[in-house]
Amino acid sequence: PHNTTCNTTMNRSKEYVLSTTERQFILEAIKERKRLDGREVYDYRKVVITPNSSTPGNVTVILGQTRVQACVSCEVTQPRPHRPTDGQLFFNVTLSPMGSPVFEIGGRSSPIVTETARILERCFKESRAVDTESLCII
């Protein structure tokens, strides 16, 4: 059977391949607006956000069977010369090998980690979900 590379970014790190059958199954489910867990297309999974009381800025987010640890921190730095009235927003991503065999042990940076951080940064900045001007101390 033919294989299709799921994502070229993943391909650079470790090969993650969907079989033709898997790919067809996923595409057909999308066309038919079906989900394996029985939810309708616009039904959302319950979201639980739990702050870590012992570590300020840390939270655990649970979305269905997915668990994410997030940490927010800040520091005062000089604004960039081309954006003197804007604060800066950075994302650092670590993917646990418990999530997928594609993710590397020890949190080493890989193409998928870099790409995930870039996508998050781009989504937040382009959506203006965070007002970067309000991050700037004048």
Side-chain angles (χ1 to χ4, degrees):
H2 297 352
N3 288 327
T4 304
T5 301
C6 179
N7 182 322
T8 56
T9 302
M10 286 182 160
N11 194 23
R12 284 183 247 146
S13 173
K14 286 187 179 179
E15 192 83 10
Y16 180 76
V17 177
L18 287 176
S19 69
T20 301
T21 306
E22 290 170 317
R23 185 176 186 279
Q24 288 173 342
F25 177 81
I26 292 168
L27 292 174
E28 195 62 34
I30 291 169
K31 283 181 193 171
E32 294 178 13
R33 301 171 67 99
K34 290 185 179 178
R35 292 183 180 217
L36 294 178
D37 60 9
R39 286 181 293 136
E40 294 295 321
V41 175
Y42 294 106
D43 288 348
Y44 297 97
R45 293 176 284 175
K46 181 180 176 184
V47 177
V48 178
I49 301 173
T50 309
N52 182 332
S53 59
S54 63
T55 312
N58 283 4
V59 296
T60 299
V61 179
I62 300 173
L63 179 65
Q65 297 293 319
T66 303
R67 177 183 296 258
V68 176
Q69 295 289 128
C71 175
V72 176
S73 64
C74 64
E75 75 180 71
V76 177
T77 62
Q78 291 287 328
R80 293 182 175 158
H82 65 283
R83 305 288 298 202
T85 60
D86 282 355
Q88 298 177 42
L89 189 62
F90 297 101
F91 289 86
N92 180 24
V93 174
T94 304
L95 300 173
S96 169
M98 291 181 68
S100 170
V102 174
F103 307 147
E104 296 184 20
I105 296 174
R108 291 178 288 181
S109 187
S110 67
I112 191 168
V113 168
T114 304
E115 185 66 18
T116 302
R118 285 182 184 155
I119 289 170
L120 283 170
E121 191 170 315
R122 196 167 44 244
C123 286
F124 273 83
K125 287 181 178 178
E126 290 178 7
S127 70
R128 299 186 184 271
V130 175
D131 177 11
T132 55
E133 280 191 25
S134 69
L135 299 177
C136 188
I137 302 169
I138 298 179

